[in-house]
Amino acid sequence: MATVPAFGLRRLNSRQWLHTFRPPPPPSLSHSLSCSASPSSLEESEEDTLSNTTTTTVTTNPNNYNKTKSFFPKRGQSSCDTGPSPASASSAASPAKRAAMPRSVLLYSIQVQVTKLKTITPHMDAVEAPCEYAPHCGGCKAQNLLYEAQFRLKEQQVHELVVHVGKFSSKDPEFISIMKPIVPCDIQFNYRNKSSYPRLCRWSSHLEIKKWVPKELLQEQREGADDHALGLHAPGFFDRVLNVDKCLLQSEPANRVLAAIQDCWRDPQLGLSSYNCHSHLGFLKYLMLRTGRDVRTGLPELMVNFVTSSYKPELLKPLVEKCVAIPEVAEVLYKIIEECACLKGDDSEIVLDLFCGTGTIGLTLAKRVRHVYCYEVVPQAISDARWNAKLNGICNASFVQGDLNKIDDNFGKGFPKPDIVISDPNRPGMHIKLIKYLLKLKAARIIYVSCNPATCARDIDYLCHGVTEKNVEGCYRLRSLQPVDTFPHTPHTECVCLLELVDSWLLSSFLPYIQLLRFSSRFSPVL
Ligand SMILES: C[S@@+](CC[C@H](N)C(=O)[O-])C[C@H]1O[C@@H](n2cnc3c(N)ncnc32)[C@H](O)[C@@H]1O
């Protein structure tokens, strides 16, 4: 991922994976990292000038990128770099910023040390974050950026990655029709249907002994406030939890359940203790809220999952009684996938659904195809997928549990050649073994769904252009790339890419002409 919009600042994430697959990009691909900085070594007048600009240039060559760099520049942090070349200065910085840059920045290597951070002028797209926890939580860092600016940045990010990492030319006239404009999210809040992730992730709702308190509230805390918290991880701490009564991203019903639990779980009469991850003492560990819909009735459903250190369901009974359920689901992504699949609808096609999770994509398509073969590594997801198929009365879907990073030559023997492959990997993207397999399989169409535009760009590059270092030839053509903003106020963007096998693309492009030729030759002896 190239840049993350936040507070008018831009951060360049680590692109460690590039080391493994590609040589570093040429210097022309460097981007700039914006941060407020006061170089203490510069003269007074220059310091003033520079602190009024907002730019310090740091090259994004992955070899130079310091993985431990924090999201925001920190006091005392220093970075050593060459000043922008006249070329990059002219392209990367606005004329106003360029004019404000001291000459030394343009001509010499500089070391910048951050001594003071101060917002001089808010970014023109800055808005007030609607969530009271935004300054402390860190879950949705882009909340105080105008939503329109958020999704434009995401669109630009996908575009840049597809050009620089995917090596598609933006000058190619066809590229304009391939790159679709981003689909913004209709629901900018309350869209999240799951509010719990692995332990180290800040988005888990945790019950832990260590309550994290913002600095300004420390006094209040010392004056006897409760030291237990149910909420989200404080940024950068695995053992501190910021108490949260409401999260604007999770669904309204999930918030109502959270409020009901917050209301009573500390009641001493219930005898509930929160878990301490250091001493391993305590009962309540995690709370997971998942919003969904009953597939038979379409009625809303909310799953509330308490993770405890021991099995004592009777202790949870009072909390369970407090919980209510009303859901919300966003289905736009599945509609786009279905459109891309362009199914004939005559029950003749075979679909291979890779990384199927609980089978949602495959099952959405199953009623219009001959058979769907689905693969997934998590056994529980496979049994849920089978259950989903049963509930929906779908008999033409098979689910296989297996690790797609460890496929061997036998992979593919269990199903006929698919017409369409759906691949929806998690953030690391597809393993090279799977890419090689797909290039050998040569299905007519691949729909690549991705939650990480960087690995998506890499994988479509491999599928279309091959991997020279590995002697692999690409055989697909990118037909469309649709970014979808499924997670407003966070840096995440989903992409749905349609790739067509070059042979079948040529055939479908020239088929009308071939038919015309045949038709003409039948009626015209000249041809
Ligand atoms: C982005 S989710 C896809 C979810 C699914 N397509 C859906 O719409 O619900 C990625 C899925 O890939 C699975 N996965 C991750 N690594 C895998 C691997 N090496 N082999 C097979 N499945 C894997 C994850 O468990 C997860 O369910």
Side-chain angles (χ1 to χ4, degrees):
M1 213 175 287
T3 57
V4 178
F7 300 91
L9 298 175
R10 298 199 300 153
R11 181 184 81 136
L12 293 153
N13 276 356
S14 168
R15 296 191 191 168
Q16 291 298 315
W17 54 269
L18 275 171
H19 294 270
T20 338
F21 297 99
R22 292 275 156 185
S28 60
L29 300 188
S30 295
H31 299 261
S32 66
L33 170 85
S34 303
C35 65
S36 298
S38 303
S40 53
S41 57
L42 294 178
E43 291 163 23
E44 193 64 41
S45 57
E46 287 180 343
E47 186 176 316
D48 288 342
T49 323
L50 198 66
S51 63
N52 274 299
T53 73
T54 51
T55 303
T56 272
T57 299
V58 177
T59 61
T60 60
N61 180 331
N63 293 327
N64 293 346
Y65 183 71
N66 176 2
K67 209 181 165 192
T68 57
K69 224 170 245 174
S70 66
F71 193 88
F72 300 106
K74 290 222 169 86
R75 207 171 332 152
Q77 179 183 311
S78 66
S79 79
C80 192
D81 207 347
T82 50
S85 67
S88 70
S90 60
S91 59
S94 68
K97 281 178 190 165
R98 257 183 292 136
M101 276 183 190
R103 268 172 193 279
S104 56
V105 176
L106 292 176
L107 298 177
Y108 302 112
S109 291
I110 55 161
Q111 171 142 18
V112 176
Q113 184 154 31
V114 180
T115 52
K116 196 174 164 190
L117 290 167
K118 189 175 158 195
T119 303
I120 293 151
T121 323
H123 192 278
M124 63 177 178
D125 291 326
V127 291
E128 204 168 312
C131 175
E132 61 178 298
Y133 305 106
H136 313 294
C137 168
C140 23
K141 291 185 189 293
Q143 238 193 62
N144 53 2
L145 192 62
L146 191 72
Y147 181 58
E148 195 170 62
Q150 285 182 36
F151 70 73
R152 287 285 158 238
L153 273 168
K154 289 182 182 189
E155 185 177 69
Q156 184 190 336
Q157 174 197 49
V158 173
H159 189 281
E160 281 173 11
L161 282 164
V162 172
V163 170
H164 296 317
V165 181
K167 301 188 195 66
F168 289 86
S169 167
S170 55
K171 291 187 183 114
D172 181 349
E174 213 194 332
F175 186 78
I176 297 159
S177 63
I178 288 172
M179 276 300 304
K180 312 279 185 226
I182 193 164
V183 177
C185 195
D186 284 345
I187 313 162
Q188 285 154 34
F189 290 101
N190 308 114
Y191 60 81
R192 199 178 273 276
N193 61 11
K194 187 180 173 192
S195 306
S196 172
Y197 295 103
R199 192 176 167 68
L200 293 179
C201 179
R202 289 193 291 269
W203 277 109
S204 299
S205 292
H206 280 209
L207 298 153
E208 284 191 30
I209 195 123
K210 290 284 183 190
K211 180 176 181 177
W212 185 83
V213 184
K215 224 177 175 179
E216 58 272 24
L217 300 180
L218 263 180
Q219 191 54 34
E220 191 184 305
Q221 169 71 7
R222 279 197 202 102
E223 279 160 14
D226 173 19
D227 197 27
H228 296 245
L230 164 59
L232 310 169
H233 270 295
F237 295 95
F238 80 98
D239 58 352
R240 298 282 192 277
V241 174
L242 171 70
N243 197 66
V244 167
D245 292 325
K246 181 179 179 164
C247 168
L248 293 186
L249 298 197
Q250 75 181 6
S251 71
E252 268 309 321
N255 271 325
R256 283 207 289 280
V257 168
L258 179 63
I261 294 170
Q262 285 284 31
D263 221 29
C264 67
W265 75 275
R266 290 179 181 85
D267 184 344
Q269 290 201 344
L270 300 183
L272 296 169
S273 53
S274 56
Y275 184 77
N276 183 316
C277 61
H278 294 293
S279 66
H280 303 290
L281 296 173
F283 179 60
L284 296 168
K285 281 175 103 174
Y286 310 96
L287 169 69
M288 189 189 92
L289 302 173
R290 189 159 195 158
T291 315
R293 209 181 282 268
D294 185 309
V295 284
R296 285 164 303 184
T297 59
L299 289 173
E301 263 185 357
L302 188 78
M303 186 169 91
V304 182
N305 193 356
F306 291 98
V307 180
T308 57
S309 56
S310 54
Y311 183 69
K312 290 176 187 154
E314 68 286 354
L315 277 182
L316 291 174
K317 218 172 158 205
L319 295 190
V320 173
E321 280 167 5
K322 289 262 179 186
C323 298
V324 285
I326 313 169
E328 270 182 72
V329 183
E331 285 165 355
V332 67
L333 199 67
Y334 298 108
K335 283 205 185 94
I336 294 171
I337 295 168
E338 209 171 336
E339 273 164 31
C340 278
C342 237
L343 298 176
K344 291 181 193 159
D346 60 359
D347 296 352
S348 67
E349 290 159 304
I350 299 287
V351 174
L352 177 62
D353 182 5
L354 302 173
F355 307 92
C356 69
T358 52
T360 326
I361 301 176
L363 293 174
T364 313
L365 306 177
K367 289 211 165 132
R368 298 171 61 208
V369 301
R370 177 140 58 103
H371 205 98
V372 188
Y373 295 88
C374 309
Y375 283 79
E376 161 64 45
V377 75
V378 178
Q380 185 57 45
I382 287 290
S383 57
D384 288 349
R386 289 190 182 126
W387 179 240
N388 277 340
K390 208 171 158 192
L391 284 177
N392 284 283
I394 292 169
C395 311
N396 60 339
S398 312
F399 298 92
V400 183
Q401 188 261 324
D403 189 339
L404 291 166
N405 291 342
K406 295 184 182 158
I407 55 169
D408 58 20
D409 292 343
N410 288 325
F411 185 69
K413 292 193 175 147
F415 51 83
K417 182 173 172 174
D419 301 281
I420 300 152
V421 175
I422 314 278
S423 185
D424 183 7
N426 46 5
R427 292 185 64 75
M430 292 197 288
H431 194 279
I432 189 72
K433 277 187 194 166
L434 188 60
I435 289 177
K436 282 185 179 173
Y437 166 77
L438 291 176
L439 288 171
K440 216 164 120 195
L441 178 71
K442 291 191 176 6
R445 248 167 298 151
I446 296 177
I447 298 165
Y448 189 105
V449 186
S450 168
C451 52
N452 182 349
T455 50
C456 171
R458 177 200 65 196
D459 291 350
I460 59 174
D461 171 35
Y462 290 172
L463 291 165
C464 295
H465 309 133
V467 194
T468 323
E469 311 91 90
K470 298 193 187 280
N471 232 352
V472 176
E473 266 187 47
C475 59
Y476 280 90
R477 195 180 169 94
L478 180 63
R479 297 290 288 143
S480 73
L481 195 158
Q482 175 72 75
V484 185
D485 187 16
T486 35
F487 301 108
H489 313 297
T490 75
H492 303 293
T493 316
E494 294 267 347
C495 291
V496 182
C497 313
L498 172 63
L499 297 138
E500 271 185 18
L501 191 66
V502 170
D503 294 350
S504 61
W505 176 81
L506 283 175
L507 201 67
S508 64
S509 304
F510 292 106
L511 196 63
Y513 302 104
I514 296 169
Q515 278 167 349
L516 191 68
L517 205 65
R518 279 204 205 123
F519 179 81
S520 317
S521 62
R522 241 187 281 154
F523 292 96
S524 157
V526 182
L527 284 169

